[in-house]
Amino acid sequence: MQNRRVLISGASVAGPALAFWLRRHGFTATVVERAPELRDGGYAVDFRGASLRVLESMGLLEAIEAAATRMGDVTYVDSADRPLVVTPATYQSGELEILRGDLARILYEETRDGVEYVFGDSITGITEHGDGVTVTFAHGEPREFDLVIGADGLHSNVRSLVFGDESRFRHDLGYYVSIFTVPNHLGLDRAGRFYNEPNRTVGVYSARDNTEAKALFWFGSDRLDHDHRDVGQQRRIVEETFRDVGWETSTLLEAMREAPDFYFDSASQIKLDSYARGRVALVGDAGYCAAPLSGMGTSLAIVGAYVLAGELAAAGGDHTAAFDAYSREMRGFVDVCQKLAEGNGKWFVPPTRGWLRFRNLNYRLLPYLPWRKLIEELPLKAGNAITLKQYAVAPA
């Protein structure tokens, strides 16, 4: 087999998942991560359809189920915390839900003994030559690899270095989201409470056996001119956008100032004609971010890692053939998952009071509507919009 040495940028979900399968197929994987250690926190992520079958084949389904959120109903309330409408758990949590940080740790623990992890460093240059790639780093010495894979998210450094500026591929859906850990001061028991004002949504849901909670802020906006690495600036944006919003907002904003895992970003999609160029390929959000509104980002990452590693193995390490096959296998799945996000924003972040009343009425009537089953099945249908190949695994 050729091209055994593979460098992966990003140690969140797609990167370690890819490293798992590469090792299983006989490749040698190195994962470089900008953060100084494994990043905890993050929002709840869920799995549907094909991604569950991949997790089962990895032998990780039991561990992930043990750490599942087991989230119950989500209640939308008014400013006095009076219930307006309740949505069932399956409407937002998929077939299996887990906190992103918990998933990342499970994947890391499963791969750390057979994969080289380099924390606190990042790629600064990628130079392809006849039989490999020379990679330079912000801190470490230059190294030689056969292939480089970008698994470094929406703002992928690898994609910028090889494919071009992010603005060429990023499509904003018109929303921003912030999520962070807060005390479970409402005493929520595997449940969530959300409050809406026009163009703004505030929510909180319990996590980790109700020992903590996750605060969630969504708002509609044109593209903001901000630095995606400037946390102080991002906190100010959230503070200014929600300072006059009622309900529990002021308490959650106060907790935001001390939150150790503050997250803020746009709801955006990445759309590329090809997920590879030369000896470099992209997986997960780096190549085909579907936006949080789709609920399919983690499923895409898990399935994409499985397919990419499998095609490399099936092609005997021939990256040209493998990357072409990977793009073909994933294209339809990506398109369906990205389409799922289109139009969801108005339901989660109603733009006007009229839309807010219309949304609440629909949620109240949902159990009686003839298309309820269709609404519930759409995400599951998207999750199954790929037929997984069975790739031969290298002998241990």
Side-chain angles (χ1 to χ4, degrees):
M1 184 176 307
Q2 56 183 305
N3 296 326
R4 287 178 176 269
R5 301 171 301 165
V6 184
L7 173 66
I8 303 168
S9 176
S12 181
V13 173
L18 178 62
F20 173 97
W21 286 112
L22 287 174
R23 182 183 63 174
R24 182 77 67 88
H25 287 299
F27 294 85
T28 300
T30 297
V31 180
V32 60
E33 166 59 47
R34 182 188 299 270
E37 58 187 8
L38 199 66
R39 290 182 293 117
D40 200 3
Y43 46 81
V45 298
D46 50 72
F47 302 97
R48 296 174 172 90
S51 60
L52 286 172
R53 295 192 290 277
V54 173
L55 292 176
E56 186 173 18
S57 66
M58 297 172 77
L60 299 180
L61 191 55
E62 184 176 343
I64 292 172
E65 287 176 336
T69 62
R70 295 178 179 81
M71 184 59 60
D73 295 340
V74 170
T75 303
Y76 286 85
V77 301
D78 64 13
S79 59
D81 201 42
R82 293 173 298 212
L84 297 173
V85 65
V86 177
T87 60
T90 54
Y91 192 72
Q92 301 190 48
S93 303
E95 295 181 270
L96 176 63
E97 184 183 67
I98 185 174
L99 295 180
R100 187 213 61 81
D102 292 345
L103 174 62
R105 184 158 300 280
I106 289 171
L107 289 168
Y108 172 69
E109 294 293 342
E110 181 67 23
T111 56
R112 63 184 299 178
D113 290 338
V115 173
E116 178 190 9
Y117 279 88
V118 180
F119 287 97
D121 210 346
S122 61
I123 297 172
T124 58
I126 299 173
T127 303
E128 185 174 335
H129 45 80
D131 56 356
V133 183
T134 301
V135 182
T136 56
F137 299 90
H139 304 294
E141 293 297 316
R143 294 177 62 177
E144 294 292 321
F145 295 92
D146 298 314
L147 305 171
V148 176
I149 311 296
D152 43 355
L154 173 64
H155 306 294
S156 171
N157 180 42
V158 170
R159 189 184 62 238
S160 295
L161 289 170
V162 177
F163 291 72
D165 189 80
E166 179 180 302
S167 61
R168 296 171 54 189
F169 316 110
R170 174 178 153 188
H171 297 258
D172 294 342
L173 299 184
Y175 301 93
Y176 284 81
V177 58
S178 178
I179 299 170
F180 46 89
T181 300
V182 297
N184 186 10
H185 75 285
L186 295 179
L188 298 172
D189 183 4
R190 290 184 171 83
R193 295 180 86 79
F194 285 9
Y195 171 72
N196 287 111
E197 291 188 6
N199 221 30
R200 293 176 289 187
T201 295
V202 182
V204 59
Y205 56 89
S206 60
R208 291 177 176 153
D209 295 325
N210 305 324
T211 60
E212 63 184 34
K214 300 293 181 179
L216 180 149
F217 289 75
W218 278 87
F219 65 97
S221 174
D222 294 332
R223 180 176 292 194
L224 299 174
D225 182 16
H226 77 286
D227 182 350
H228 71 269
R229 298 198 184 280
D230 188 338
V231 174
Q233 180 191 31
Q234 295 163 16
R235 290 182 198 261
R236 290 191 295 273
I237 290 172
V238 176
E239 184 100 42
E240 292 168 5
T241 303
F242 288 88
R243 63 175 45 173
D244 61 342
V245 175
W247 188 56
E248 297 287 333
T249 303
S250 61
T251 300
L252 296 175
L253 288 175
E254 184 175 348
M256 176 187 72
R257 301 181 189 114
E258 306 299 327
D261 56 352
F262 176 84
Y263 169 88
F264 177 87
D265 216 332
S266 62
S268 302
Q269 297 183 335
I270 295 297
K271 298 190 176 184
L272 292 163
D273 293 332
S274 174
Y275 309 133
R277 182 167 295 180
R279 290 179 172 269
V280 179
L282 304 172
V283 66
D285 283 357
Y288 32 82
C289 182
L293 289 166
S294 73
M296 297 302 298
T298 307
S299 290
L300 280 169
I302 292 294
V303 172
Y306 170 81
V307 173
L308 177 53
E311 293 296 344
L312 278 168
D318 180 344
H319 66 284
T320 301
F323 290 168
D324 285 347
Y326 162 63
S327 292
R328 287 195 306 271
E329 289 294 311
M330 290 297 295
R331 177 64 62 187
F333 187 40
V334 169
D335 289 346
V336 170
C337 292
Q338 289 188 335
K339 187 173 180 58
L340 198 63
E342 298 174 6
N344 276 355
K346 285 185 177 181
W347 292 93
F348 196 64
V349 191
T352 65
R353 293 199 179 278
W355 246 102
L356 179 53
R357 289 191 293 270
F358 176 74
R359 193 277 311 273
N360 289 347
L361 176 61
N362 271 267
Y363 280 172
R364 279 195 290 270
L365 294 176
L366 188 61
Y368 315 103
L369 295 175
W371 54 85
R372 174 191 175 181
K373 190 172 181 63
L374 176 63
I375 293 173
E376 292 178 342
E377 287 180 352
L378 276 175
L380 181 58
K381 185 177 180 180
N384 282 308
I386 184 172
T387 301
L388 296 175
K389 291 183 180 179
Q390 296 301 312
Y391 300 104
V393 176

